[in-house]
Amino acid sequence: MKVLRTLGYDVRYTHGRGAYLYDEHGTRYIDCLGGFGVFGVGRNHPVVREGLKQAMHLDLPGLPKFGVPRLSGLLAERLIAIAPGDLDTVFFCNSGAEGIEAAIKYSRAATKRQRIVYCNKAYHGLTYGALSLNGGSEFREGFGHMLTDCTQIPFNDLDALEHELAKGDVAGFIVEPIQGKGIFVANDDYLPGAARLCHKHGALLTLEEVQTGFGRTGRMFAAEHWGIEPDILVTAKALSGGYVPIAAVLCKRWIHDKVFGSMGRCMVHSSTFSQNDLAMAAGLLTLHVISREHIVENAATMGDRLKRRLEAMRDQYEMVHDVRGKGLMLGIEFGPPRSMTLKMGWSLLHRVDQSLFPQAMLIPLLQDHHILAQVAGHHMDVIECTPPLVLREQDVDAIADGVEAVVSACHKFPGPVWEVGKRLSQAIAR
């Protein structure tokens, strides 16, 4: 709460609908966070909500544990039908981090090797296994030793990947097609090359599509942009419909058979709430809405429109250095200005905190333009935009207009954005 009050984010939201949040005064906000990618089909989608109500009225035999759960079979069938490549088994769990834990175990069991390779700036969750593959030290500090046999390499560096794989002890390479922290996009040759190298050296390729799945990047899965077929795919977030936590680990049959290789190992990896009926219903309903309402196509169209508007600012404003991403997973990166007066303000804010400058813009974006967004990671001058995938043209234009107004204001020193930065600096110093 101290952080929220300091940032001016202690808004009392009372309800949400689609791409919008509403506060206690009835003010409408465009949500450019989307619960960090959870609300793909929007908040409180009526089809998902009504379907879950029906499921609850059916008195379903949830979690018998020793029985045949029908809904999970139906959802697994749907996921396999839309997944890239020949992934044909599904393990359900509750979160992306839990899915990554499974991927680590699957990779080790299937290859009989130990080492896992991951990328700098990666974010895979905060449980111990996932945290051991976290590219940001700020999340690991204070929690003691992580898992051993985990090696970090630069993102988008095939030579570094091949150097590690050639040692012959790597079980798997776990990578995000688009890194959530910083919105860094894989180069066109990176993921196809990674798949080739993994297969050449007997390691498994796990694509972490926790945030990029289900239309976020303008394709059902980001893997489709590069035509790659992973050995394991971990996804979560938007599959929930925003209602019931769910994650899915899809893998090739031979990998599944190595993990659950005998009747005695049928429960060697499990999760208490795996396959619970409401989560399975939420997943089925969400996939229905995505298909029926052309959510993936809308994400591609609205993402292109928003990206074009943001890219136009790069030529007009000297501190806008890059706009990157795919679909409605976009990042705006700012960099040091050329003019002397702006350099002074930039240096002052960065001496206090490396993420203070974009935060100083995000506060007026929320308070004056009613657009909720956030910094894309620690020590980054990057604003993240991951709204619900149900944005309309007028929403996209309102976001772009609001961002441009704030960016324009920050190019005046002294000015209102710099005053916000000064207040934040003072609050941090206290």
Side-chain angles (χ1 to χ4, degrees):
M1 286 307 301
K2 287 180 181 178
V3 171
L4 291 176
R5 288 193 198 103
T6 300
L7 298 179
Y9 273 66
D10 52 338
V11 179
R12 300 186 184 195
Y13 299 110
T14 56
H15 61 288
R17 189 177 303 115
Y20 311 120
L21 288 163
Y22 299 83
D23 69 14
E24 57 188 338
H25 306 293
T27 303
R28 190 185 79 174
Y29 300 78
I30 300 177
D31 176 16
C32 280
L33 278 180
F36 293 121
V38 168
F39 296 100
V41 298
R43 276 185 166 79
N44 297 307
H45 194 288
V47 171
V48 182
R49 181 179 60 229
E50 292 307 310
L52 288 173
K53 284 182 181 178
Q54 291 176 24
M56 285 188 279
H57 284 302
L58 288 173
D59 293 330
L60 294 167
L63 302 176
K65 292 304 181 183
F66 281 82
V68 182
R70 295 183 183 180
L71 289 184
S72 63
L74 291 172
L75 181 55
E77 187 176 54
R78 289 292 310 278
L79 288 171
I80 287 167
I82 62 174
D86 57 349
L87 304 174
D88 57 0
T89 67
V90 183
F91 172 80
F92 290 109
C93 48
N94 306 292
S95 68
E98 195 177 337
I100 290 296
E101 301 284 348
I104 293 170
K105 292 171 72 175
Y106 278 31
S107 297
R108 289 179 167 183
T111 64
K112 307 303 181 189
R113 299 173 179 177
Q114 290 295 303
R115 198 152 62 98
I116 304 293
V117 175
Y118 66 99
C119 293
N120 64 344
K121 297 187 175 67
Y123 183 88
H124 298 298
L126 298 178
T127 52
Y128 251 99
L131 188 60
S132 301
L133 310 183
N134 201 312
S137 60
E138 62 275 2
F139 289 105
R140 296 194 301 269
E141 290 172 0
F143 297 113
H145 297 293
M146 298 291 110
L147 290 183
T148 58
D149 296 324
C150 297
T151 303
Q152 182 179 137
I153 62 171
F155 186 59
N156 271 328
D157 189 334
L158 286 175
D159 290 338
L161 176 60
E162 184 163 31
H163 177 75
E164 298 301 330
L165 292 172
K167 296 176 184 178
D169 62 343
V170 174
F173 175 45
I174 297 180
V175 62
E176 303 157 274
I178 300 176
Q179 292 188 319
K181 297 298 180 185
I183 317 297
F184 294 103
V185 184
N187 294 336
D188 285 343
D189 64 340
Y190 184 59
L191 294 176
R196 175 180 53 78
L197 289 172
C198 285
H199 296 158
K200 174 183 175 182
H201 294 283
L204 300 186
L205 173 65
T206 294
L207 279 192
E208 199 258 61
E209 296 231 27
V210 171
Q211 191 167 186
T212 55
F214 306 109
R216 170 60 53 192
T217 68
R219 301 285 180 91
M220 183 61 76
F221 291 102
E224 297 171 30
H225 289 288
W226 296 276
I228 56 169
E229 300 181 2
D231 300 299
I232 302 172
L233 186 145
V234 179
T235 191
K237 288 187 181 288
L239 184 59
S240 67
Y243 281 98
V244 187
I246 179 176
V249 181
L250 287 72
C251 74
K252 296 179 178 179
R253 173 69 61 177
W254 74 267
I255 299 170
H256 177 274
D257 290 344
K258 290 283 188 180
V259 177
F260 305 98
S262 66
M263 290 178 65
R265 288 180 60 82
C266 71
M267 295 288 286
V268 73
H269 184 70
S270 64
S271 177
T272 298
F273 287 97
S274 175
Q275 305 178 74
N276 82 82
D277 285 332
L278 287 184
M280 300 301 103
L284 286 164
L285 290 160
T286 299
L287 293 181
H288 171 72
V289 169
I290 287 173
S291 174
R292 189 182 74 171
E293 299 185 7
H294 307 291
I295 296 292
V296 179
E297 294 83 353
N298 189 68
T301 302
M302 294 301 105
D304 286 345
R305 184 184 184 92
L306 181 56
K307 192 175 184 183
R308 285 197 303 271
R309 287 289 310 273
L310 296 175
E311 284 177 334
M313 300 178 204
R314 190 172 51 197
D315 299 328
Q316 189 173 355
Y317 300 101
E318 60 181 291
M319 283 190 281
V320 180
H321 276 212
D322 193 19
V323 175
R324 55 179 175 263
K326 292 182 181 292
L328 283 171
M329 187 172 183
L330 299 173
I332 312 165
E333 183 170 10
F334 300 89
R338 296 182 297 276
S339 54
M340 190 58 65
T341 54
L342 291 177
K343 274 184 182 178
M344 186 189 310
W346 177 274
S347 298
L348 285 171
L349 291 186
H350 282 77
R351 267 188 227 133
V352 178
D353 187 278
Q354 289 296 309
S355 300
L356 198 53
F357 175 76
Q359 195 67 67
M361 288 194 291
L362 288 165
I363 292 171
L365 190 65
L366 178 69
Q367 294 177 347
D368 300 337
H369 302 278
H370 305 135
I371 297 168
L372 174 65
Q374 252 309 321
V375 180
H378 292 75
H379 314 305
M380 293 181 184
D381 290 298
V382 183
I383 289 176
E384 169 185 344
C385 185
T386 53
L389 307 183
V390 294
L391 286 185
R392 299 171 296 175
E393 287 186 359
Q394 55 264 43
D395 301 321
V396 168
D397 292 340
I399 293 166
D401 290 343
V403 170
E404 183 163 17
V406 174
V407 168
S408 176
C410 82
H411 281 74
K412 298 170 182 151
F413 184 80
V417 169
W418 301 101
E419 285 302 314
V420 171
K422 181 180 176 181
R423 291 200 302 273
L424 284 177
S425 301
Q426 292 169 344
I428 290 171
R430 289 199 296 269

